[in-house]
Amino acid sequence: MNVFGVDIGGSGIKGAPVDLERGDLTEPRHKVLTPQPATPDGVAGCVVEVVRNFGWTGPVGVTFPGVVTGSTIRTAANVDKGWIGVDAGRMLGERLGGLPVTVLNDADAAGIAEMTFGAGRGRKGTVILLTLGTGIGSAVFVDGKLLPNTELGHLELKGHDAEKRASSKAREDEGLSWEHWATRRLQKYLAHVEMLFSPELFIIGGGVSRKADRFLPLIEGIRAEIVPAELQNNAGIVGAAMAAKERVAGG
């Protein structure tokens, strides 16, 4: 079964049909820039553009960078605050002409994909996926079961939201070297998360995972194993499609 996945990020919105047997895209993804400000209307227009680029007419899974309960948005750290309280599933479904739409947290989607098809496959105990991008998303699994909407990027680090100091965007915006970012920012953040949750495995996702060799070998003092996401920046798309399939299967 193929299902369409869309990943809404702070800088880009991308999507493609997904082969759920293989956990991979069936066609190269289509990406558009996230509108600024990232209002519900503006983002919805981009989601429609991405889906219609493929002529898709079936179920659609959509990730969102914030807390999602049911299909209602509860927080919006890196997009417009006008999202808060919006039933995104219903709104996007209407904009897509009545297609069934499933919405979930972006890092949770990436985590679901990595635990099924990627670096977390078959792993027990506590596994934490962290997506390092515009912000920091998190997905926490215990023996393969997801604890949704953890939002560990908003833990306090040096008096700030951790994502303001340790995200990929923070490295780029401040012009930090890979070494400085890895050893003084990311390492301290991982140590803080490890102190709270004692995971067996950290999976590092987001676009920066493509350059894992530039920073992961520099990190020291973390007891947990640290590995890059295998699905890299496609994990959110795959996880969104998986969630849409599960909803359709469950009626």
Side-chain angles (χ1 to χ4, degrees), residues 86-109:
V86 171
D87 185 335
R90 184 174 68 178
M91 186 263 286
L92 292 172
E94 291 173 352
R95 291 288 294 268
L96 287 167
L99 298 185
V101 174
T102 302
V103 183
L104 72 162
N105 173 267
D106 56 349
D108 286 350

Side-chain angles (χ1 to χ4, degrees), residues 155-190:
L155 290 172
E156 184 177 315
L157 191 65
K158 295 284 188 180
H160 302 277
D161 264 13
E163 68 179 21
K164 301 299 184 185
R165 294 183 58 79
S167 67
S168 178
K169 185 175 187 295
R171 184 191 71 80
E172 294 169 358
D173 287 352
E174 298 182 45
L176 303 177
S177 67
W178 287 104
E179 181 179 11
H180 183 106
W181 177 68
T183 60
R184 301 192 189 185
R185 301 290 185 88
L186 184 57
Q187 180 174 295
K188 290 181 178 180
Y189 173 62
L190 292 174

Side-chain angles (χ1 to χ4, degrees), residues 63-243:
T63 77
F64 184 83
V67 172
V68 183
T69 56
S71 63
T72 299
I73 307 304
R74 301 301 182 192
T75 67
N78 294 303
V79 291
D80 190 83
K81 302 302 183 193
W83 277 102
I84 297 173
V86 171
D87 185 335
R90 184 174 68 178
M91 186 263 286
L92 292 172
E94 291 173 352
R95 291 288 294 268
L96 287 167
L99 298 185
V101 174
T102 302
V103 183
L104 72 162
N105 173 267
D106 56 349
D108 286 350
I112 290 167
E114 284 292 329
M115 293 299 288
T116 305
F117 297 108
R121 186 172 53 246
R123 296 294 293 256
K124 299 297 184 183
T126 302
V127 177
I128 299 180
L129 174 132
L130 299 169
T131 58
L132 308 179
T134 304
I136 296 178
S138 62
V140 178
F141 295 84
V142 179
D143 292 334
K145 297 185 184 301
L146 171 68
L147 175 65
N149 292 312
T150 48
E151 292 290 285
L152 300 183
H154 299 298
L155 290 172
E156 184 177 315
L157 191 65
K158 295 284 188 180
H160 302 277
D161 264 13
E163 68 179 21
K164 301 299 184 185
R165 294 183 58 79
S167 67
S168 178
K169 185 175 187 295
R171 184 191 71 80
E172 294 169 358
D173 287 352
E174 298 182 45
L176 303 177
S177 67
W178 287 104
E179 181 179 11
H180 183 106
W181 177 68
T183 60
R184 301 192 189 185
R185 301 290 185 88
L186 184 57
Q187 180 174 295
K188 290 181 178 180
Y189 173 62
L190 292 174
H192 188 52
V193 176
E194 183 171 65
M195 180 269 294
L196 293 171
F197 294 94
S198 301
E200 282 76 26
L201 175 67
F202 281 114
I203 302 172
I204 304 300
V208 75
S209 63
R210 294 192 300 268
K211 301 177 181 178
D213 60 323
R214 304 284 298 274
F215 64 92
L216 286 190
L218 303 174
I219 294 174
E220 299 177 343
I222 306 299
R223 293 187 298 275
E225 182 182 0
I226 311 172
V227 300
E230 292 181 9
L231 279 68
Q232 298 184 345
N233 218 18
N234 287 338
I237 296 174
V238 173
M242 292 174 67

